Amino acid sequence: MYFHEIAEELKIYMAPSERGGIFVVQLIGDTLRAPMTEEEEKMALDDKFNPLANGMSLNMQDQIFEGKKFISRNRAGLICSRYDGSDFAEEIDNLYDADKDHLQTFLAKKGILVAIEELGSAMQDIMSQIFHGLSKGIHDVDICLTIHEPKPSIKNLAENRIYFDDGKLVIDGETIELPIQLDESQIYEFESGYISALCDAYAEALSRDEVTVDDIPNLPRKYQINFYDQRKAYLSAESIQRSISEVYEDGENQFDILKEDAFGGIKTTYYDEYDWC
């Protein structure tokens, strides 16, 4: 299946009056996860987080929609590294019943049989496969739905199939970007529990009743540095978990264990006394 085929079909239901090139950018934007770091937030504000919105003319976007041009391997790779698809799947599931019937028929003509109640997850899977194909230079991607297949276990991967390369984690051939730029003024909702545990550990180590995030800049230097380092490590783990939990059966569980170990080790770490503080 070509990307332009699915884009043309979806435009009928999602944005019938929109220009093709504009819809393509919107469609890809709908499949991406939310920005997670200061750098990504800035990219989003500058309209650069969506790989198809950055540095591409509307004419080229139109040609991609029409199938006259293809999304480059580099841009497709960036889409894959930021792909989530959950919001997109929800959009599909919220289409009118008649539109879902038409979409189901369209897929059936392509040899893809999907139950109406599974259209969202199926389309999420299809788009992921198309983007991964494009990242490898494959334009016409053979779709084989995986929504009913058991996920592989990350514990069964050989050591040489998981490695770190040029600031990125590679798992079984898939590249995962790590968030290394932090917005020191913003605490993300999903990390609030971890930050609270850090602050509690600082309070115990310093014999204080309470330490809050606002107190961090005034703490001894070792705590400021460790706070930054711990946040960076936690956000990296969070990013990896979000990327692999949809691929590996035990992906989320493995990183839950990692986080529990991190919580358990916080107090020991911050009771240590360092000569360089």
Side-chain angles (χ1 to χ4, degrees):
M1 181 183 294
Y2 290 94
F3 171 75
H4 73 89
E5 292 178 320
I6 197 67
E8 289 172 353
E9 181 69 19
L10 291 176
K11 183 178 179 298
I12 299 172
Y13 320 125
M14 300 176 73
S17 61
E18 191 62 85
R19 181 167 172 171
I22 294 176
F23 174 71
V24 161
V25 176
Q26 294 173 344
L27 176 60
I28 290 184
D30 289 344
T31 68
L32 303 181
R33 60 171 170 76
M36 291 184 61
T37 66
E38 179 183 16
E39 182 180 19
E40 290 184 348
E41 292 282 2
K42 186 177 185 303
M43 290 171 65
L45 289 173
D46 294 337
D47 205 20
K48 295 180 179 180
F49 186 66
N50 183 330
L52 232 64
N54 181 25
M56 181 181 290
S57 69
L58 180 55
N59 179 60
M60 176 63 76
Q61 294 162 353
D62 282 336
Q63 292 186 65
I64 288 175
F65 173 77
E66 296 165 1
K68 297 177 181 177
K69 298 288 185 180
F70 300 105
I71 298 173
S72 70
R73 294 178 64 172
N74 181 55
R75 290 182 192 270
L78 289 174
I79 293 170
C80 290
S81 70
R82 300 167 190 169
Y83 186 83
D84 175 70
S86 56
D87 289 342
F88 171 67
E90 186 174 349
E91 286 186 74
I92 297 299
D93 285 331
N94 288 335
L95 290 174
Y96 291 115
D97 289 344
D99 291 338
K100 286 192 285 189
D101 287 339
H102 285 297
L103 180 56
Q104 183 187 45
T105 300
F106 166 81
L107 293 175
K109 290 179 179 178
K110 296 289 184 180
I112 304 171
L113 303 180
V114 183
I116 286 290
E117 61 272 16
E118 294 180 327
L119 269 179
S121 58
M123 288 302 302
Q124 181 181 14
D125 185 15
I126 290 169
M127 294 297 279
S128 177
Q129 291 186 43
I130 288 176
F131 292 139
H132 278 84
L134 288 169
S135 72
K136 299 172 184 176
I138 302 171
H139 300 146
D140 187 4
V141 180
D142 290 330
I143 302 298
C144 182
L145 287 182
T146 63
I147 57 176
H148 296 302
E149 293 181 3
K151 297 179 180 179
S153 170
I154 194 171
K155 290 187 290 187
N156 294 334
L157 292 180
E159 183 177 346
N160 62 359
R161 292 167 67 185
I162 306 177
Y163 58 91
F164 192 71
D165 181 39
D166 192 26
K168 298 178 181 179
L169 182 70
V170 181
I171 301 180
D172 203 22
E174 299 296 335
T175 300
I176 299 173
E177 293 183 341
L178 305 183
I180 58 174
Q181 300 294 325
L182 299 183
D183 181 351
E184 297 179 3
S185 65
Q186 177 182 357
I187 301 298
Y188 299 97
E189 181 178 353
F190 61 79
E191 62 170 332
S192 60
Y194 188 75
I195 297 301
S196 177
L198 284 175
C199 289
D200 288 345
Y202 297 151
E204 287 195 45
L206 294 167
S207 299
R208 295 187 183 184
D209 292 335
E210 182 184 39
V211 169
T212 68
V213 172
D214 293 336
D215 296 324
I216 299 298
N218 299 318
L219 295 182
R221 184 166 174 265
K222 70 175 182 180
Y223 297 106
Q224 297 179 41
I225 292 175
N226 280 324
F227 181 74
Y228 178 88
D229 289 343
Q230 290 294 321
R231 281 197 67 207
K232 183 165 69 172
Y234 183 86
L235 288 179
S236 294
E238 182 73 20
S239 176
I240 296 168
Q241 175 179 327
R242 291 183 181 202
S243 297
I244 73 171
S245 62
E246 295 181 358
V247 179
Y248 297 99
E249 180 180 20
D250 51 351
E252 184 168 357
N253 178 58
Q254 292 300 311
F255 277 92
D256 283 342
I257 294 172
L258 169 66
K259 290 176 186 177
E260 288 175 7
D261 288 343
F263 274 104
I266 284 174
K267 291 184 179 180
T268 301
T269 299
Y270 293 105
Y271 271 124
D272 289 343
E273 292 298 329
Y274 300 99
D275 295 334
W276 50 267
C277 63

